[in-house]
Amino acid sequence: MEIRLDKLRKEFASVAAVDDLDITIPEGSLVGLLGPSGCGKSTTLFMIAGLYKPTAGRIFFGKEDITTISPEKRGIGLVFQNYALYPHMTALQNITFPLENLKVPKKEARERAQEMADLVQIGDLLDRKPSQLSGGQQQRVAIARALVKKPRVLLLDEPLSNLDARLRLETRKEIRRLQRETGITTIYVTHDQEEAMSITDEIVLMNRGVLQQKDSPQEMYRRPANRFVAEFLGNPPINILKGEVKNSRVYIQGTPIGEAPGVPDRSVDIGIRPENWGPAEEGLKATATFIERIGKDTIINVDLGGRPARAITGSDADLT
Ligand code: ATP
């Protein structure tokens, strides 16, 4: 189901938490809502879920305007970071619970729960209570519970933030697989750029309620729409250096580093990703300040005419 937001807006005490957001999320895609804390990700998701009423704007599922429809009638599956399972119920009872409200016959409910549990690979743990499951297993129960109603869209709000690093990696791959297998349109809220970059088809990057860019992760990384996007994505972060354009050439500290056809002469800020430094005929002079080895990568911190900069290399072969 395609999701379309049309000038969607939410104000809290006249401050726009979400500021006229216009986006279309294609049917069957997995889209990450990404941005720093307080940028409006959860508020956007809650409006799509029907938990918050927009101040202005419309929300469409396909051709249907669902802006004023109650949450239960929207056909959504919701998963939060705290799994919110019922502690006194088994995994099976937790998963079938939404079906009881829908008056689905017991036998069918049980079969559907088993199918979903198998899909998220907890099919043999259905008799356990939440306290007898690991965090990752509990989150899978929560996902199975969200999917068992066969929702039109799946909304995930930081679903992995309570898991440890390794489990996060595994579970995010699982979510990707699950999303591909079910083909369900999914919105995934995260503040973790790596998570968003690794599993989504597209990222919607927000800052202070305002859309900054909507693109595939690769495109956004290579062609950031503005400086905020350039600086938000990438770890270690992009270097921003002072430079100048003169006669269509770009200089840093008097050293030519590239061409800028058609750009008038002026001072500029130049963004260079740490992995994009290359050899030059007449290189920039920099002094290494310290070197960090992180796994297979080596990060070289330098002083470039009084300003810090960073380079990253896959090996330390060319460090001498
Ligand atoms: P985080 O990653 O920290 O969860 P977020 O991007 O999800 O952040 P939101 O929770 O959507 O951000 O909040 C957006 C802005 O709206 C913030 O400035 C927040 O303080 C404000 N806000 C959110 N909910 C309310 C509320 N119920 N009342 C008043 N202000 C709110």
Side-chain angles (χ1 to χ4, degrees), residues 1-3 48-50 61 64 66 69-78 102 145-155 184-186:
M1 183 66 63
E2 177 188 278
I3 303 169
I48 297 170
F61 283 180
E64 188 187 353
I66 54 119
I69 290 183
S70 67
E72 318 79 69
K73 299 209 177 109
R74 291 188 182 198
I76 48 164
L78 250 183
L102 297 174
R145 183 176 61 179
L147 288 173
V148 80
K149 289 176 292 183
K150 305 209 167 98
R152 301 194 282 182
V153 303
L154 181 62
L155 306 175
I184 187 168
T185 310
T186 301

Side-chain angles (χ1 to χ4, degrees), residues 60-233:
F60 295 88
F61 283 180
K63 291 204 164 53
E64 188 187 353
D65 182 342
I66 54 119
T67 317
T68 55
I69 290 183
S70 67
E72 318 79 69
K73 299 209 177 109
R74 291 188 182 198
I76 48 164
L78 250 183
V79 179
F80 294 106
Q81 62 173 285
N82 55 342
Y83 332 115
L85 299 177
Y86 299 107
H88 59 286
M89 293 185 188
T90 62
L92 178 67
Q93 287 164 335
N94 267 285
I95 298 171
T96 53
F97 187 74
L99 299 179
E100 280 171 32
N101 290 340
L102 297 174
K103 311 245 178 316
V104 174
K106 267 221 160 73
K107 184 161 172 284
E108 186 191 335
R110 157 101 228 191
E111 282 165 10
R112 273 166 68 174
Q114 186 68 51
E115 191 189 331
M116 288 305 138
D118 288 342
L119 195 64
V120 297
Q121 300 180 339
I122 48 144
D124 50 350
L125 304 175
L126 287 176
D127 294 335
R128 296 207 198 162
K129 298 250 171 81
S131 61
Q132 298 165 320
L133 297 167
S134 72
Q137 290 164 343
Q138 289 181 46
Q139 192 57 301
R140 285 159 197 246
V141 175
I143 294 170
R145 183 176 61 179
L147 288 173
V148 80
K149 289 176 292 183
K150 305 209 167 98
R152 301 194 282 182
V153 303
L154 181 62
L155 306 175
L156 307 168
D157 193 3
E158 304 260 6
L160 309 182
S161 51
N162 285 350
L163 307 182
D164 69 40
R166 210 172 128 198
L167 206 50
R168 265 211 306 270
L169 284 180
E170 271 173 33
T171 316
R172 80 184 188 203
K173 272 194 268 166
E174 285 287 303
I175 288 179
R176 184 46 163 166
R177 176 186 63 80
L178 191 72
Q179 193 273 334
R180 285 232 167 92
E181 278 177 23
T182 55
I184 187 168
T185 310
T186 301
I187 304 182
Y188 187 109
V189 166
T190 178
H191 64 272
D192 180 338
Q193 50 156 311
E194 202 200 309
E195 206 164 278
M197 301 276 289
S198 66
I199 62 167
T200 62
D201 297 307
E202 275 195 314
I203 294 176
V204 170
L205 182 52
M206 297 174 69
N207 187 33
R208 295 166 186 257
V210 179
L211 174 68
Q212 303 294 309
Q213 190 167 357
K214 176 176 178 286
D215 246 320
S216 70
Q218 296 78 3
E219 194 61 18
M220 197 175 277
Y221 188 76
R222 286 202 206 114
R223 286 180 228 278
N226 57 38
R227 184 164 169 163
F228 176 84
V229 179
E231 293 190 291
F232 190 82
L233 292 184

Side-chain angles (χ1 to χ4, degrees), residues 15 47 75 93 142 183 193 217 284 298 317:
V15 177
M47 286 193 281
Q93 287 164 335
Q193 50 156 311
L284 282 168
T298 301

